[in-house]
Amino acid sequence: MSIPKISIRDLNLYYRDTQALKNIDIDIASNSISALIGPSGCGKTTFLRTLNRMNDLIEGVRIDGTVELDGRNVYSPDVDVVSLRKSVGMVFQRPNPFPMSIYDNVAYGPRVHGIRKKGRLDEIVEASLRGAALWKEVRDRLFTPAMGLSGGQQQRICIARLLAVEPEVVLMDEPTSALDPVSTLKIEELIRELKHKYTIVIVTHSMQQAARVSDITAFFLDGEMVESGDTGMMFTKPVDKRTEDYITGRFG
Amino acid sequence: MATRQAFDRDLAEVQQDILRMGALVEQSVYESVRSLAAQDSVLAAQVIINDERVDEFFRDLEAKIIGLIATQQPMAKDLRVVVTGIKILMDLERMSDYAVDIAQATMCMVGEPCCGSDMAEILRMGRLAQRMLKEGLDSYVEGNVEKARAMCALDDQVDYIFDHLFRALTKSMEENPAFVPSGAHLLYVIRYLERIADHATNVGEAVIYQVTGERRELN
Ligand SMILES: Nc1ncnc2c1ncn2[C@@H]1O[C@H](COP(=O)(O)OP(=O)(O)OP(=O)(O)O)[C@@H](O)[C@H]1O
Ligand SMILES: [Mg+2]
């Protein structure tokens, strides 16, 4: 691998007395898609949230180790968390558009970051909606409420909202678990497309989804990263027996 | 998470059926060569009838495996077992076809004079090909990579005998034109046996893949 986009070393995380992440080491390449898999409660969401310091918001959390983004530890004291979250954005399990129009949802981030000119905002909104493969479906109703869209469209609005602030890394926590199969496939296609511009880390409970979209798969169990590697290899010849048991559905 | 007992049972059943099919094909290869040696057209006919049962196994197993892929989406070891199953299935089916080809050659040759020393050598080649198939199936049952590798190495001997026999047969035909009708058939027969041995090495490679995940050409 050339210089990794994200490089994680000896990462440990505790929720008060309970350790939720144990000695995680992994490098994530630029413009790659990494899938995190593992049983419920194994620490996938926790791990994802360490990448843009979302866990900082939770009381009693203690973190040691390093998470380097382009060679710079995101946990060093001089890091501006707001700009970190701008470059490392997140899409959640349930689409959570704001109760405002499609346009205002997408323009929200750029406005927060100080862009006010209508012409510039129009450009960003269109480019972001195109980036989220949604432009054609919504261009005639940009000023209607985002809540009126289907679940799959709402999820793509959330993706567009994220793209509007020009992130470098996109984190997705089970982004299709609330969607029907067609919307799911659309999002998956979109993810493959986004990889050309962004580095993507996705949590999923669907082995098929991990196999379909990702380049690298990492298997978590009880806060440990048991194994990570080329997705094709992980799904044909995993090294660790625990990975084998999990992906063949013989776990526990 | 639930364990996958029903799936495991189905997989085991498929593997059992592949072995049953394999035993049939082994018998066909053996008897095709025996029918040739004994110039026995009744035995040859038996091989042809056997092939229908092999084809039945093939269609049935193919459907079962496609069903497993469609409904269970096997991964990791399961995926390798399923893929190996399909590969072996196809190789067995081809081998049975070659046995039929040999049986048909026998039928054409009954009563034709042929060179005894060439025939002895062809029988040796036939036994070797049949042994490869047997050991390939044994390695499949046992998941035995070493046995599979050792079996694949025998393919060189088969190729050597093929080259040797090719020259010997053409020479016999040159020296005694009465051998030409049978000799022409026997040239085909040695080609079929050589192909059977190749398919046996495919079985060996499939076993190695199933066990180790390595894909390698051994012939
Ligand atoms: N805010 C919190 N306070 C205390 N413990 C927490 C908190 N969030 C998560 N945990 C615990 O940390 C562990 C990892 O949780 P996490 O949400 O990261 O798992 P997950 O792999 O994302 O699970 P799921 O697949 O169900 O989303 C669990 O044992 C969980 O109970
Ligand atoms: Mg989670």
Side-chain angles (χ1 to χ4, degrees):
Chain A
M1 197 184 323
S2 50
I3 302 165
K5 183 74 186 168
I6 306 173
S7 180
I8 290 145
R9 289 289 173 277
D10 280 326
L11 181 70
N12 289 282
L13 183 145
Y14 307 80
Y15 290 111
R16 298 193 191 283
D17 302 329
T18 50
Q19 185 166 6
L21 294 177
K22 299 169 187 165
N23 292 314
I24 310 287
D25 275 316
I26 188 173
D27 285 336
I28 295 171
S30 283
N31 303 98
S32 67
I33 303 176
S34 306
L36 311 181
I37 59 170
S40 200
C42 68
K44 304 177 297 293
T45 298
T46 302
F47 173 77
L48 207 60
R49 294 161 61 99
T50 58
L51 303 183
N52 67 353
R53 293 185 55 173
M54 297 254 286
N55 292 314
D56 290 17
L57 310 173
I58 300 166
E59 239 190 65
V61 166
R62 189 158 57 80
I63 296 167
D64 57 58
T66 56
V67 174
E68 288 184 352
L69 179 67
D70 292 322
R72 183 150 175 259
N73 188 3
V74 304
Y75 285 96
S76 24
D78 58 332
V79 164
D80 170 20
V81 177
V82 175
S83 76
L84 171 66
R85 296 209 184 114
K86 181 170 174 287
S87 32
V88 184
M90 185 142 172
V91 177
F92 301 88
Q93 182 169 3
R94 301 214 149 264
N96 56 346
F98 302 137
M100 41 178 98
S101 72
I102 293 169
Y103 184 100
D104 288 338
N105 261 277
V106 182
Y108 182 88
R111 279 178 174 141
V112 168
H113 288 100
I115 298 173
R116 290 289 137 85
K117 286 219 178 69
K118 171 109 182 22
R120 180 73 192 115
L121 282 175
D122 286 353
E123 277 170 27
I124 294 174
V125 169
E126 176 171 344
S128 305
L129 286 169
R130 281 188 191 281
L134 194 58
W135 175 249
K136 284 186 187 142
E137 287 162 62
V138 301
R139 66 179 156 199
D140 299 327
R141 44 171 166 157
L142 289 177
F143 299 98
T144 61
M147 300 294 204
L149 299 172
S150 74
Q153 289 171 326
Q154 288 186 20
Q155 194 61 301
R156 278 179 286 149
I157 285 284
C158 296
I159 293 171
R161 193 173 65 194
L162 191 106
L163 301 186
V165 299
E166 301 181 325
E168 295 163 33
V169 178
V170 177
L171 311 176
M172 300 183 162
D173 196 353
E174 302 182 44
T176 63
S177 63
L179 304 181
D180 66 277
V182 174
S183 309
T184 296
L185 283 178
K186 276 192 186 157
I187 301 272
E188 287 182 4
E189 253 168 47
L190 174 58
I191 295 171
R192 301 285 323 170
E193 210 38 56
L194 293 176
K195 146 187 159 125
H196 300 296
K197 282 167 101 176
Y198 312 93
T199 302
I200 297 166
V201 185
I202 175 175
V203 169
T204 176
H205 276 289
S206 156
M207 299 302 115
Q208 279 69 37
Q209 179 163 77
R212 280 193 299 262
V213 304
S214 72
D215 305 308
I216 298 291
T217 298
F219 172 56
F220 280 70
L221 186 64
D222 283 336
E224 252 183 87
M225 204 182 71
V226 171
E227 183 173 352
S228 73
D230 173 76
T231 295
M233 278 307 287
M234 287 284 280
F235 287 109
T236 51
K237 179 70 184 154
V239 174
D240 197 288
K241 174 82 168 60
R242 292 168 293 174
T243 316
E244 173 94 44
D245 286 348
Y246 181 71
I247 63 186
T248 59
R250 292 184 179 76
F251 190 76
Chain B
M1 189 172 296
T3 57
R4 304 180 69 177
Q5 284 170 0
F7 177 54
D8 284 340
R9 219 173 29 240
D10 291 346
L11 263 191
E13 222 178 84
V14 164
Q15 286 178 296
Q16 281 305 319
D17 279 352
I18 289 174
L19 288 172
R20 285 200 195 97
M21 178 178 170
L24 261 179
V25 175
E26 204 187 309
Q27 188 190 341
S28 281
V29 171
Y30 173 70
E31 296 198 331
S32 67
V33 177
R34 217 159 59 91
S35 74
L36 186 74
Q39 302 275 294
D40 182 341
S41 52
V42 175
L43 199 54
Q46 193 55 50
V47 172
I48 294 167
I49 292 167
N50 228 5
D51 185 53
E52 285 168 20
R53 288 177 59 205
V54 170
D55 286 347
E56 227 168 84
F57 260 114
F58 179 80
R59 280 191 299 271
D60 181 47
L61 275 165
E62 187 187 48
K64 270 191 193 154
I65 292 179
I66 290 172
L68 284 181
I69 294 173
T71 57
Q72 301 289 334
Q73 291 135 18
M75 294 270 197
K77 178 77 195 268
D78 297 337
L79 180 62
R80 302 205 305 277
V81 169
V82 164
V83 169
T84 300
I86 292 185
K87 283 184 166 176
I88 292 181
L89 203 60
M90 294 177 73
D91 285 314
L92 289 175
E93 194 268 338
R94 296 297 297 155
M95 285 191 255
S96 179
D97 288 347
Y98 285 122
V100 167
D101 290 335
I102 294 170
Q104 276 165 346
T106 298
M107 289 175 158
C108 297
M109 281 171 55
V110 170
E112 297 282 352
C114 82
C115 170
S117 66
D118 292 343
M119 187 54 99
E121 191 71 353
I122 290 172
L123 293 182
R124 195 161 83 84
M125 184 180 182
R127 277 196 301 274
L128 195 53
Q130 181 214 331
R131 178 177 145 205
M132 286 175 69
L133 171 56
K134 178 176 180 334
E135 289 180 6
L137 291 169
D138 286 349
S139 71
Y140 181 57
V141 180
E142 301 163 18
N144 188 334
V145 173
E146 280 322 303
K147 191 173 270 184
R149 286 218 169 90
M151 179 276 284
C152 290
L154 294 176
D155 194 45
D156 287 345
Q157 278 187 49
V158 171
D159 290 346
Y160 177 81
I161 300 176
F162 174 82
D163 288 339
H164 168 76
L165 264 170
F166 189 87
R167 280 192 303 269
L169 283 167
T170 40
K171 189 154 168 277
S172 300
M173 286 189 271
E174 271 166 20
E175 286 170 357
N176 187 348
F179 289 163
V180 168
S182 67
H185 284 298
L186 289 175
L187 282 175
Y188 278 108
V189 167
I190 62 172
R191 166 58 73 192
Y192 301 144
L193 288 173
E194 190 264 337
R195 295 300 298 146
I196 288 174
D198 282 346
H199 284 285
T201 64
N202 288 350
V203 170
E205 285 165 7
V207 170
I208 294 169
Y209 173 70
Q210 173 170 308
V211 177
T212 67
E214 276 169 48
R215 281 178 292 134
R216 267 206 287 159
E217 286 268 334
L218 294 175
N219 65 352

